[in-house]
Amino acid sequence: AQTVTQSQPEMSVQEAETVTLSCTYDTSENNYYLFWYKQPPSRQMILVIRQEAYKQQNATENRFSVNFQKAAKSFSLKISDSQLGDTAMYFCASGAQGGSEKLVFGKGTKLTVNP
Amino acid sequence: NAGVMQNPRHLVRRRGQEARLRCSPMKGHSHVYWYRQLPEEGLKFMVYLQKENIIDESGMPKERFSAEFPKEGPSILRIQQVVRGDSAAYFCASSERRSPGELFFGEGSRLTVL
């Protein structure tokens, strides 16, 4: 079974600063993916970034990057140069590769970017 | 290319009534997933379907809930005899192939049971 834990229910950051959201996971799968999804007030789930567990290099998408520590089962999201539009719920999720298609989500972190 | 379309966006039902939620996947996508989000919670997997087949329904409650994805038309999530605990946002996602991480989500349907 897979579990995903986000220990920060809420966080805030000043515009233009950097913030890191934490996520730990547990899985018995050898091959798996990890994701960060953003859910703005409109509630649509938007994929922010994805990491294949077999890749050692941390994924990066513009201002978003991850720190993937496989041995520690840690997958944090760093948002650089925070913008007001980054205000949203952020969900960490895991999914097995080649087997179960379902994603397991954490409970989310509510991020507020202050002007 | 239109995204995943869900309707209705908001649905209000009284206890004991039936709720039907519809999901049209992205064009060319034959894999559909339903997730439920309770207040202050992350999404919980319910069911995974391909055209005319239920592949994994391990997250579906044993009673009152059913899902289908017919050869023609949208996928339907049906909840019979709704109770207040069914109040939640129900999200549909689709993918082109059987692979996590290629999911495209709809905007969700919010069900409120009075």
Side-chain angles (χ1 to χ4, degrees), chain A residues 35 39 43 96 101-103, chain B residues 35 37 58 91 98 100-101 105:
Chain A
F35 314 89
Q39 187 178 43
R43 292 193 295 115
E101 291 70 29
K102 54 196 164 204
L103 297 185
Chain B
Y35 287 80
Q37 185 178 31
S58 59
F91 287 89
R98 181 176 175 150
F105 282 86

Side-chain angles (χ1 to χ4, degrees), chain A residues 61-104:
Chain A
E61 287 288 341
N62 300 315
R63 297 182 295 108
F64 298 89
S65 62
V66 298
N67 183 5
F68 175 43
Q69 301 289 328
K70 191 171 184 178
K73 295 186 177 178
S74 171
F75 184 62
S76 60
L77 175 69
K78 185 172 81 171
I79 306 174
S80 304
D81 187 24
S82 297
Q83 300 176 0
L84 297 178
D86 295 333
T87 293
M89 285 290 292
Y90 286 81
F91 292 97
C92 181
S94 71
Q97 181 179 2
S100 169
E101 291 70 29
K102 54 196 164 204
L103 297 185
V104 177

Side-chain angles (χ1 to χ4, degrees), chain A residues 33 35 37 39 42-47 50 91 95-108, chain B residues 9-10 33 35 37 40-43 45 48 56 58 89 91 98-103 105-110:
Chain A
Y33 292 86
F35 314 89
Y37 279 89
Q39 187 178 43
S42 67
R43 292 193 295 115
Q44 184 167 16
M45 296 291 287
I46 302 166
L47 178 65
R50 178 176 82 159
F91 292 97
Q97 181 179 2
S100 169
E101 291 70 29
K102 54 196 164 204
L103 297 185
V104 177
F105 285 84
K107 289 192 174 184
Chain B
R9 291 293 309 279
H10 301 275
Y33 309 77
Y35 287 80
Q37 185 178 31
E40 310 299 324
E41 297 281 329
L43 277 66
F45 169 80
Y48 162 44
D56 182 351
S58 59
F91 287 89
R98 181 176 175 150
S99 172
E102 303 287 349
L103 294 185
F105 282 86
E107 294 185 336
S109 292
R110 178 165 292 281

Side-chain angles (χ1 to χ4, degrees), chain B residues 52-68:
Chain B
E52 300 184 274
N53 290 304
I54 296 174
I55 307 302
D56 182 351
E57 57 181 346
S58 59
M60 287 278 271
K62 299 299 181 188
E63 298 179 348
R64 302 188 298 107
F65 284 72
S66 62
E68 62 177 11

Side-chain angles (χ1 to χ4, degrees), chain B residues 73-111:
Chain B
S75 175
I76 306 285
L77 180 67
R78 181 184 179 200
I79 311 171
Q80 295 177 289
Q81 299 176 319
V82 296
V83 301
R84 288 209 174 117
D86 297 333
S87 294
Y90 292 83
F91 287 89
C92 172
S94 73
S95 68
E96 187 176 10
R97 61 178 183 268
R98 181 176 175 150
S99 172
E102 303 287 349
L103 294 185
F104 294 84
F105 282 86
E107 294 185 336
S109 292
R110 178 165 292 281
L111 172 65

Side-chain angles (χ1 to χ4, degrees), chain A residues 14-76:
Chain A
Q14 292 299 122
E15 195 175 6
E17 294 189 346
T18 295
V19 63
T20 299
L21 308 183
S22 301
C23 173
T24 58
Y25 65 93
D26 195 10
T27 180
S28 57
E29 302 289 339
N30 291 323
N31 299 313
Y32 55 92
Y33 292 86
L34 297 164
F35 314 89
W36 280 96
Y37 279 89
K38 170 184 177 181
Q39 187 178 43
S42 67
R43 292 193 295 115
Q44 184 167 16
M45 296 291 287
I46 302 166
L47 178 65
V48 174
I49 200 165
R50 178 176 82 159
Q51 174 85 40
E52 289 91 338
Y54 66 87
K55 290 186 177 179
Q56 292 185 335
Q57 186 173 5
N58 289 325
T60 298
E61 287 288 341
N62 300 315
R63 297 182 295 108
F64 298 89
S65 62
V66 298
N67 183 5
F68 175 43
Q69 301 289 328
K70 191 171 184 178
K73 295 186 177 178
S74 171
F75 184 62
S76 60

